[in-house]
Amino acid sequence: MASTGQTNPFEDPSSKDAQVQEQGEIARGTSEPQEPVPHTATTLAVGRNASLTLGTESLVVQDEELQQSGRVNCCGVSFAGKNKTTRSIPFYNILWAERSENGDITIQYAHAVSKTVVRPAIISYTLDKPESSEVEAWIESLLDRAYGTSQRRKRIKMLVNPFGGQGGAVKMYHKHIAPIFAAAKCTLDMEKTQHNGHGTEIAQALDIDAFDVVACCSGDGIPHEVWNGLGKRADAARALAKLAVTQLPGGSGNALSLNLNGTVSPSLAALAVVKGLRTPLDLISVTQGDRRILSFLSQAVGIIAEADLGTEHLRWMGSTRFTYGVIKRILRQDVYPADIAIKVEHDNKTAIREVYRTEASKSPPRHNEREIPPADLGLPPLRYGSVQDPLPDSWTLVPHDHLGNFYAGNLAYMSADANFFPASLPSDGCLDLVRMRGNLKRGAAIKALLAVAEHKFFDIEDVDYKKVTAYRIIPRNQKDGYIDIDGERIPFEPFQAEVHQGLGTVLSKSGHLFEAEGV
Ligand SMILES: Nc1ncnc2c1ncn2[C@@H]1O[C@H](COP(=O)(O)OP(=O)(O)OP(=O)(O)O)[C@@H](O)[C@H]1O
C-alpha cells in the first residue's frame, strides 16, 4: 500500500496548506476528532495498513505508517516506530470519490483550514487489490452518504459581478469557489456581468436545459436580475422551476447566501451549493404603473427603506451607515403616511409561531425533485390584478397616518445579525409583514431595533407581525421618498404585491427551512 497524496491542481502551490495537502494529510493525523465506528459500518481495506470506513456521519480513515521516532542515539543508530492515525471526514465535506485510470482510489473533500475557509484536499491510495469488485460498490456507497438526495455533479452557470461589494468577486471566485466546484466535478460556465441589467439579459437567453443552477457570485442584485430575466421568458414557469438560483457571497448585501447557505464565507457557501437540496421558494409579483417585477427578498417603505437607500452618500461608514440611518430617523420620530390594504393569512403571533413550528418539526423531504411545468407556461396570472385595477372587493384601504416602517420579508435574514423575519418559511405562500409606528417613544423604538440582533424582535409588542399573501400600499402627503424592492429603489408611487407560492427554486441545506433561528 502507498499513500500517494496527489497534487491538488486547484491549490496555490505556494501556500503552506497546499504543501500539507500535497503530501497527503491522512498520514499527518491532524484535526477532526475520531468518531466511534458502528458495527454496521462498511470498511474497505485499501492496503495492509490502511482502511476506509463508512461511519454514521463521516468517513473514518485509518492509516499506519512508519515514522522516525528518534534521529540518532549515542551509537549512531536511528530508531523507527509505527504510528497509527485515525481521522474522520464528515460526509458533508466529501466532494467526490472515484477510481482513477491506474486503479488508485481518490477521494476529494473540503478540508477546513479555519472556521470560515474550506479548501479541496485529496486522499489517494494505491489499492493492494485493485481488481476487487468491492471497490466500485464502496465508492457508490460513500457518494450516496455524501450527497443523499442532493444532485451530484451539478451543471452551474456562474455569474460573477466584478463590481460587487468591494470589487473583489472575481478574485474570490477563482480562489475560494471554483476549486470547490471543480473538486466536486461540477460543470462550470463562468461569465462576468458587464453592466447593470446584464444578469436579466443572460437569464432571459439562457439554455435552461444545459444547466441545473445559476450561481451568482455577487450581492443580492444579480439574483434579483436573474429571477426577473427568467420571469420574462415565454417558458417562465418551467425556467423558474428548473433552474435553482443561488448566491456565492460577493457583494455588500448577501442575504440569499445567509439564509440558504448559512454563511457569508465564499468557500463554505460553495460547499453548501455543491450539497444543496432543490427547494421551492415563494416569489412575489410587485406591480407599479404597468410594470411587473419579481421580488425574492423584501419590500420596504419608511425608515428601513430610507436608511438603506437614502444613505448612499455615507458608504464610507460601511455597514454602520444603515444603523446610523435608522437611529437618526427614530430620534426624529419620522412618519411616512400611507393607505394600506392587506390580504392577511395569519394575523397573530401565536398562530404564526404554530405555523412555523409545525413546518420546522417535519423531517426534511426525502425527494427534492419538483414537477417541471410545460414549456408554454409563462408567469402565473395575478390573482388580485395589478395596482392599476380596482381594489379587490374583500380588501379595505386603511389609513396609516403615523407609519414608521412597512417591511415585508420573504427570507429571514436581511443582513448578518438582522433576522427581521424569523417566522418566514421558503414556500408557505406568505410574506411576513412587519409594521411599526413612527411616533413610538424613542426608547421603545430603539429597544425594538436592538432586539433584532438579539433574536427578540418578533415578541416585541410594538412590532405588528402578520403573514400575508398580498397587499397594496399608497404613500400619501410626501413629495418624494424611498421604496425598496430587494435593495433596489423603485419610483415613489403606489404599488401592489402578491405572493406566488414556490414559483422559484433555490438550493438549501435543509430542503424546507432557512438557516435562521426561528420562532
Ligand atoms: N460590470 C458591471 N458594471 C456596472 N454595474 C454592474 C456590473 N455588473 C453588475 N452590475 C450591477 O451592480 C449592481 C449591484 O450588484 P450586486 O448586488 O452584485 O452587488 P452589491 O455590492 O451587493 O451591490 P450594492 O451594494 O449596490 O447593493 C446590480 O444592479 C448590477 O446590475
Side-chain angles (χ1 to χ4, degrees), residues 7-218:
T7 302
N8 182 339
F10 309 114
E11 280 296 336
D12 170 4
S14 63
S15 88
K16 197 172 159 227
D17 294 325
Q19 287 165 20
V20 170
Q21 287 161 17
E22 282 172 16
Q23 291 160 35
E25 287 177 345
I26 298 312
R28 309 273 123 19
T30 53
S31 68
E32 288 108 3
Q34 186 181 349
E35 176 196 78
V37 181
H39 294 305
T40 52
T42 317
T43 298
L44 182 73
V46 286
R48 204 154 39 84
N49 300 319
S51 66
L52 300 170
T53 300
L54 303 179
T56 44
E57 298 286 334
S58 45
L59 169 68
V60 181
V61 182
Q62 285 196 306
D63 199 347
E64 203 174 74
E65 71 163 11
L66 283 176
Q67 227 183 32
Q68 293 294 111
S69 59
R71 287 303 306 157
V72 185
N73 72 3
C74 60
C75 308
V77 179
S78 295
F79 288 103
K82 277 187 176 175
N83 183 28
K84 196 163 195 168
T85 59
T86 301
R87 65 175 301 194
S88 299
I89 303 167
F91 290 133
Y92 181 77
N93 288 41
I94 301 288
L95 298 169
W96 199 247
E98 65 190 5
R99 267 174 100 161
S100 43
E101 274 170 21
N102 63 4
D104 288 358
I105 186 168
T106 301
I107 297 167
Q108 306 220 39
Y109 66 101
H111 173 67
V113 293
S114 73
K115 275 189 177 163
T116 53
V117 178
V118 287
R119 293 208 181 124
I122 296 180
I123 310 166
S124 186
Y125 286 101
T126 301
L127 293 161
D128 270 1
K129 293 180 192 160
E131 69 285 355
S132 165
S133 58
E134 240 185 281
V135 181
E136 307 295 343
W138 187 89
I139 288 175
E140 185 49 34
S141 200
L142 171 62
L143 288 175
D144 204 37
R145 284 163 161 88
Y147 280 87
T149 56
S150 173
Q151 185 191 352
R152 301 177 195 173
R153 307 187 74 155
K154 296 179 175 86
R155 299 168 304 162
I156 302 175
K157 176 71 190 182
M158 188 77 222
L159 302 184
V160 182
N161 178 358
F163 295 97
Q166 307 296 321
V170 175
K171 200 170 158 199
M172 192 161 67
Y173 164 76
H174 288 296
K175 184 166 181 197
H176 292 292
I177 296 165
I180 296 284
F181 286 158
K185 307 284 178 192
C186 292
T187 312
L188 270 177
D189 177 1
M190 193 272 250
E191 189 168 350
K192 293 178 203 164
T193 53
Q194 307 288 342
H195 52 82
N196 180 277
H198 195 197
T200 302
E201 291 167 20
I202 293 170
Q204 220 177 329
L206 198 65
D207 175 0
I208 61 167
D209 293 317
F211 299 101
D212 307 301
V213 178
V214 181
C216 311
C217 182
S218 66

Side-chain angles (χ1 to χ4, degrees), residues 257-283:
S257 182
L258 270 169
N259 286 283
L260 297 166
N261 305 324
T263 181
V264 286
S265 146
S267 58
L268 286 176
L271 177 58
V273 168
V274 164
K275 295 301 174 77
L277 299 167
R278 284 169 66 77
T279 307
L281 180 75
D282 298 339
L283 293 178

Side-chain angles (χ1 to χ4, degrees), residues 420-440:
F420 265 105
F421 305 100
S424 75
L425 291 162
S427 60
D428 61 352
C430 291
L431 273 166
D432 287 24
L433 175 63
V434 163
R435 279 170 301 168
M436 291 177 71
R437 287 186 292 120
N439 59 347
L440 285 179

Side-chain angles (χ1 to χ4, degrees), residues 302 333-340 397-405 435-440 473-478:
Q333 295 185 308
D334 286 354
V335 293
Y336 305 81
D339 292 334
I340 303 172
L397 272 177
V398 177
H400 287 55
D401 295 338
H402 299 110
L403 183 70
N405 261 315
R435 279 170 301 168
M436 291 177 71
R437 287 186 292 120
N439 59 347
L440 285 179
I473 177 164
I474 306 171
R476 269 199 286 112
N477 307 341
Q478 297 153 81

